[in-house]
Amino acid sequence: MEVRHEADEYEARLADAVSVIRETIRRRWVVLLAVTAAVFIAAFVLVSMMTPVYSATAKVRLDPSRSPLAGNAQQTRAELSQEAIDTELTTIRSVDVAREVVRAQGLTGDPEFADSLNQIRNASLANSEARQTVVANALLQHLAVSREKQTYVLNIGFNSTDPVKAARLANAFAAAYIEFRTKRRVGTAREQSEWFQQQLADLGRQASEAEARAAEFRARAGIVESSAQNGTSGTIVDQQVAPLSGSLASAESDAAAARANLAAARAQVGRGGLDTVSEVLSSPVVADLRRQRAEVLRSKGEVEARYGERHPESIRVRDQLASIDSQLQAESRRIVGSLQATAASAEARASSLRSSLNQLERSRESSVRAATTAESLEREAAAKRALFDKTSQMSLDSMQAASAQIAQAEVVNSAEVPARPSSPNKPLLLTLAFLVAAAAGGATITAQEMLSGGFRSVEDLEAQLGIPVLAVVPRVGKSESPTELMLERPTSMFSESFRIARTAILGTRGDAGVKVIALTSSLPAEGKTTSAVAFARTLAIANARVMLLECDVRRAAVRQIIRGGAPNAGLVELLHGEISLEDAIRPGDVPNLDQILVVSPYFSAENLFGEGRMEKLLDVLRDRYDYIVMDLPPLMGLADGRYLAVLADAVALIVKWNSTPISAAKSALGWLRGDGSKPVGVIYTQVDPSAHSVGGLYYYSKQYSDYYQA
């Protein structure tokens, strides 16, 4: 059910949109027709004046063969990629090819292309080459080049007003392209080969000079290369540092050992004499002397025991023992002295090696800088040598390309003279012109509708203001008077609309609580006064006693639209107390209708309707009449209308169809509600009789034509 309801709503909205469009076209068909006709006629003249253009096409096939330098199939396919085809298309459209065509065909005097020369005022066009360039650029404007699907065939099309010329120049472009392509490729390859040879000579010289500078600097700085086993290089100083560091370490170790032995010997001497020194005890000489001393001591004891102490043999043995002791002391002192000499020698050697190493370290700083410079020179030489090698390979490829066969192109289909023009397609252009003209007419009437700024339907009005539409009053012809129309044709559409308003305000049986009915508008010239007069007449014709009270004192327009002469006194004089009520009342132009009008426009800063004067007047009139119709001034810009609307039992707001601004109507309705008035609805005035989408009130349509007086 919900889906069905949404479908019904969509159909209703679509029907409303169609009705709005149909209504707009019906009201503004003259503008639509005029704009459409004007645009179409202008387009028809332009299409008729167009010169027919003929197009001829020559087909050129590219040779897909590849230079023998291609290494694999993938390289062969790469030459015929879309980028390669686009390059060939650009070549055909180049100025050089076009200039060859101009020169070969002698087109500098052709009026179809040479007009561009007359449009350029430049002294440089005096030479033939400049003139050919200008004509070539003009010629390219007529050229169309494309690839035929995914094939190797290129379409070369040319447009001209002469069919024979179109075919001739299309073939000329194909021939010029093939010749230009072959010459350019061979010439380019040879020029590249010559350029490479010149570059190789310069690069070879630069590489040799760089290698020579590197070698000379290495020799001058003493930088040598080591064996190929470790793959390193360095200076002579670098090579001397490592062995010298090892010798220094060994010498310092020996010196430390010698110092330790000497210190130990001196300590032993201090504790017990030379005999306790380890080196002395371990000396073979000392050991032999001790053995001899032991033998002599043993002999001494035997001799002294046998001969006595004074015997010469005993003396000899004692002398021999003293000699051995003397030798032992001498040998011990020699060993200790040897330790001192060894320690001093080791210390001197270590000091010498240390001094030499320090001197090498100082020399090493400058050698490091020299090595860095040497490496930089070697890198430069290597880079130039690599560039030379790469350029040499490129030169070899270029020379091979110069001697290799260049891929060719051939014409597979020459251009033929076209039998019919390719453009303009006049039937299509005229169809498009008609559609554009119709769109321009539609846009014009749409802009008129959008710029109108007012309400265009009952639904729109009720949705915007939130109050019902009491009646829709049709617009009458320019030759007719709305007020006279009601009297002359009481059964017309205009008269019927106010009877509908009466029923909407009072109800089908009449509302006894509504006696004072005020009609007002937001702005002037919306049909307020005419509606008030017509509504009062409608009530009077229905056998009700009616008082028409004109309260728009600044305009005083009622006297101009009713029958009868102008009054001598009216509402202003009555409220001032200058005349009585009986003197102010005048009979209307229909039975049961009385009027209190304004003699002439009245401008004053006083509160004419204040101080209870208007309330008292209405109280008196309520007792004498069934209904009181008040014609109030507009609400915007005037205060009287808002003050008087509060005194009415019902207020009807007049809104002019397609004219009253929406904001103005909203503001007026808001003021009425804010002041405490009783707005009961809107009387929609001056509606186009042909407007069908007015909220379901279709009594202006042809279906109701029999119900109204023509």
Side-chain angles (χ1 to χ4, degrees), residues 588-662:
D589 45 15
V590 296
N592 300 323
L593 176 61
D594 289 338
Q595 306 168 145
I596 299 180
L597 308 180
V598 179
V599 177
S600 60
Y602 178 76
F603 300 91
S604 175
E606 65 173 320
N607 187 3
L608 179 65
F609 303 103
E611 300 178 0
R613 290 190 290 267
M614 196 64 186
E615 290 89 337
K616 294 177 181 179
L617 175 60
L618 290 177
D619 289 341
V620 174
L621 295 177
R622 283 175 184 270
D623 296 335
R624 299 179 58 175
Y625 295 94
D626 296 325
Y627 301 106
I628 303 170
V629 178
M630 300 173 61
D631 176 26
L632 302 186
L635 297 177
M636 299 195 72
L638 299 173
D640 294 343
R642 297 175 61 179
Y643 176 77
L644 294 173
V646 179
L647 305 179
D649 300 327
V651 179
L653 182 65
I654 304 299
V655 174
K656 184 178 179 180
W657 178 81
N658 203 29
S659 176
T660 303
I662 297 175

Side-chain angles (χ1 to χ4, degrees), residues 52-68:
V53 177
Y54 297 86
S55 178
T57 303
K59 296 182 181 295
V60 175
R61 183 178 65 86
L62 296 177
D63 188 350
S65 62
R66 175 76 170 170
S67 170

Side-chain angles (χ1 to χ4, degrees), residues 493-529:
M493 292 187 294
F494 181 84
S495 302
E496 188 68 27
S497 63
F498 286 99
R499 286 192 285 271
I500 294 175
R502 173 188 177 281
T503 302
I505 296 176
L506 303 178
T508 56
R509 297 184 179 180
D511 189 350
V514 177
K515 298 197 68 172
V516 180
I517 304 169
L519 278 72
T520 185
S521 63
S522 56
L523 299 172
E526 296 191 59
K528 168 183 62 62
T529 300

Side-chain angles (χ1 to χ4, degrees), residues 564-600:
N568 297 324
L571 181 63
V572 176
E573 291 77 12
L574 176 62
L575 294 178
H576 283 163
E578 299 175 1
I579 60 174
S580 64
L581 178 59
E582 299 299 333
D583 294 334
I585 296 176
R586 289 178 55 84
D589 45 15
V590 296
N592 300 323
L593 176 61
D594 289 338
Q595 306 168 145
I596 299 180
L597 308 180
V598 179
V599 177
S600 60

